[in-house]
Structures are given as structure tokens and as C-alpha cells.
Amino acid sequence: MWHFHPIPRPVMLSGVYTAFSRDIAADYVFRGETHDFYELVLVTQGRVGVTADANSFVLEAGSAILHPPREFHSLHGVGAPASFIIFSFSAERMPVFTHFRFAVSDENMQRAARALDIFRTHTPAENEEIGDVPEGEERAVQQALCELEILLLTLTEKTQKTQHDASAGARNYRRALRVIEENLTEPLDTATLARLAHMSPSLLKKTFSRYAGVGVMEYIRTRKINFAIPLLRAGKSVKEIAADLGFSDAGYFSTVFRRITGHSPTYYRRGY
């Protein structure tokens, strides 16, 4: 008698949003963002500064970082030109990692380059976003997706090629984020945050420009919206959350929420 043995699939991707490579200058800053899907950054040359929520790292060539959904992240140059590859994707299943920084083998770097080349060749792309898969290109694109799944399956959780950013700027950034977290329900402005973080307003703005890639107030609004999402999923009303987070009214909260997430608050209250 034949016995069926189901094969576990710890990594199962459902689709790709972006796939691109970029060469950056020493003073480059990637605009900070947060979204509902994963983003994998692989450093191919040089060194790259990465912000992941309140953490700042310097990644060397041959290393990677995986940003989980809703993590605020940014990227910047660290004094010399560098290169990287980025894939952003949704997943039905993903391993549980101890941390999200990895050493990447030469084989996996080649795998990433192959996947990138296939996506570029067989899918239309505009502004680095993958378009609909044209008829007849499904097999090629599935091959790229499989390459990406194998890469994720074989990532090695090592941190030899990454280091915490111990600079004064990174320390200032972490201190400002702690103040924001402690006052998330308050109507913070730039001057108040600077005073509480023991920084001048100009230094505060410069710090966020480098490490967050967005202005201070935009970061605060983004953090408030991310904080609101689990409350919406738990069934709390939009009006209550808006009041708790210091928004002037529920309508303005909903407008900001849609601009940052691309969805209305109701979308998350329905369990998405």
C-alpha cells in the first residue's frame, strides 16, 4: 500500500511587489517606509547603513537584512559608494527567525541575481514595481519565485558582517525614538520632542533626515498609525483610537491612516 507523506513548506511566497538593484553614493538616503509585506535587502558591494524601527546597523557586502511586515525601515550610505538588491514580497509561510540579519553565501548572491534578472526580463516594471505577469511568462516568473524561496530557506543567521551603528547620530536617533514611544498618545511637535530628547530642533531634523529618511512629524504619524493597527484588529473603534493617539478627529485620523497604509481603518477592523 502506498502512503502519502505531505512535505512541509516552511517558505511559501505568494507574490512579489518589487525587485531591483541600485548603486548608491556615499550621501544617499532611502526614504523610510512601512508596509504590510516583507522586504529583503542584500548588500552586494561596499557598506550600507540600515534603520529597522529603533535599531541601526551597518551591513557589509555579503550580508542581508529582512524587514518583516509593518517594520519602519530606511537605508543610507556610510561614506563610500555601495550597491544592493531589494526584493519585497508577500508570504503565506515564513520561518521564525531569531533575528533578521544574515550572512549570504556567494551561491545565494548568484541566486538573487538570477531571480532579479528573470523578473526584469519577463515582467513589465515601472518605478521598480513588478507589473502583471504577461501571458506565456508564468513559468519563467515562477522560476524566479522559486529562486527567492530557496534563498530564504538557506539564509544563515549570522551577524559577522553586520554591526550596530554606535555613532553619536545613531544614539541621538534611538533616544528620540524612546521619547516618541513614551509619549505616543500625546500631540508631540518638533520643538517639544527636541527638548525632551535633549537635542536642538535643527539637530533633531538632521538626525531623522539621515536615519529615517523622512521628517520628524511624518515619522511620528507613521508610528501612531502602526500602533493603531492591532487596536483596530482587536475591535476598538476608529473614534476611540483617534482620540487616544491625539488626533483632532476621526476623519483626519482616517485620512492620515489611508495615506500611510493605502487602506481605510475599516480594512483592518475586518481582520486583514
Side-chain angles (χ1 to χ4, degrees):
M1 178 179 290
W2 298 99
H3 297 281
F4 173 70
H5 298 281
I7 305 298
R9 292 186 60 183
V11 173
M12 188 182 298
L13 306 189
S14 51
V16 175
Y17 291 88
T18 62
F20 63 94
S21 62
R22 185 171 292 174
D23 301 323
I24 63 170
D27 58 352
Y28 175 84
V29 177
F30 187 90
R31 179 180 174 83
E33 62 184 6
T34 179
H35 39 61
D36 286 330
F37 44 86
Y38 290 90
E39 186 167 296
L40 178 67
V41 181
L42 304 104
V43 182
T44 54
Q45 291 184 23
R47 302 165 73 237
V48 172
V50 174
T51 298
D53 280 338
N55 298 306
S56 298
F57 307 102
V58 176
L59 275 64
E60 297 184 5
S63 59
I65 187 166
L66 179 65
H67 298 293
R70 303 316 315 171
E71 179 179 77
F72 182 88
H73 55 277
S74 182
L75 183 153
H76 57 272
V78 288
S83 303
F84 57 83
I85 295 173
I86 287 183
F87 297 101
S88 59
F89 54 89
S90 56
E92 295 180 30
R93 294 180 193 165
M94 280 289 287
V96 177
F97 295 115
T98 304
H99 57 72
F100 290 86
R101 290 170 289 140
F102 307 91
V104 183
S105 65
D106 290 343
E107 182 181 4
N108 266 339
M109 280 298 186
Q110 294 169 8
R111 181 168 283 119
R114 284 197 302 271
L116 177 62
D117 184 60
I118 294 171
F119 283 125
R120 282 174 167 169
T121 304
H122 296 278
T123 60
E126 184 175 349
N127 296 326
E128 299 161 348
E129 185 173 344
I130 299 298
D132 294 332
V133 179
E135 186 175 352
E137 302 290 352
E138 296 88 353
R139 290 187 180 184
V141 175
Q142 184 174 346
Q143 180 186 344
L145 201 65
C146 288
E147 292 277 19
L148 191 51
E149 287 182 335
I150 294 170
L151 190 161
L152 290 164
L153 279 167
T154 54
L155 282 175
T156 303
E157 290 190 83
K158 294 181 180 178
T159 59
Q160 297 96 320
K161 294 193 176 183
T162 67
Q163 61 187 51
H164 282 275
D165 186 344
S167 66
R171 292 196 299 272
N172 286 338
Y173 182 66
R174 289 193 290 269
R175 185 167 66 250
L177 293 193
R178 284 197 297 271
V179 173
I180 291 172
E181 292 301 309
E182 292 166 0
N183 296 274
L184 202 57
T185 59
E186 302 298 324
L188 278 176
D189 56 35
T190 301
T192 302
L193 176 58
R195 176 175 55 80
L196 293 174
H198 308 292
M199 299 163 64
S200 69
S202 61
L203 178 58
L204 180 69
K205 291 176 183 178
K206 182 179 179 180
T207 299
F208 270 79
S209 177
R210 176 166 180 76
Y211 287 92
V214 297
V216 177
M217 296 311 299
E218 182 170 352
Y219 177 87
I220 292 173
R221 285 190 291 269
T222 299
R223 181 66 192 97
K224 285 175 181 274
I225 295 305
N226 281 340
F227 183 83
I229 288 174
L231 300 179
L232 289 165
R233 286 174 170 155
K236 198 166 186 178
S237 75
V238 174
K239 186 175 181 180
E240 286 179 294
I241 295 171
D244 289 346
L245 292 177
F247 285 85
S248 55
D249 58 68
Y252 176 59
F253 169 79
S254 296
T255 298
V256 173
F257 193 98
R258 183 181 289 275
R259 178 170 59 80
I260 290 173
T261 67
H263 301 288
S264 69
T266 305
Y267 175 87
Y268 291 94
R269 290 200 79 211
R270 289 173 179 166
Y272 295 104

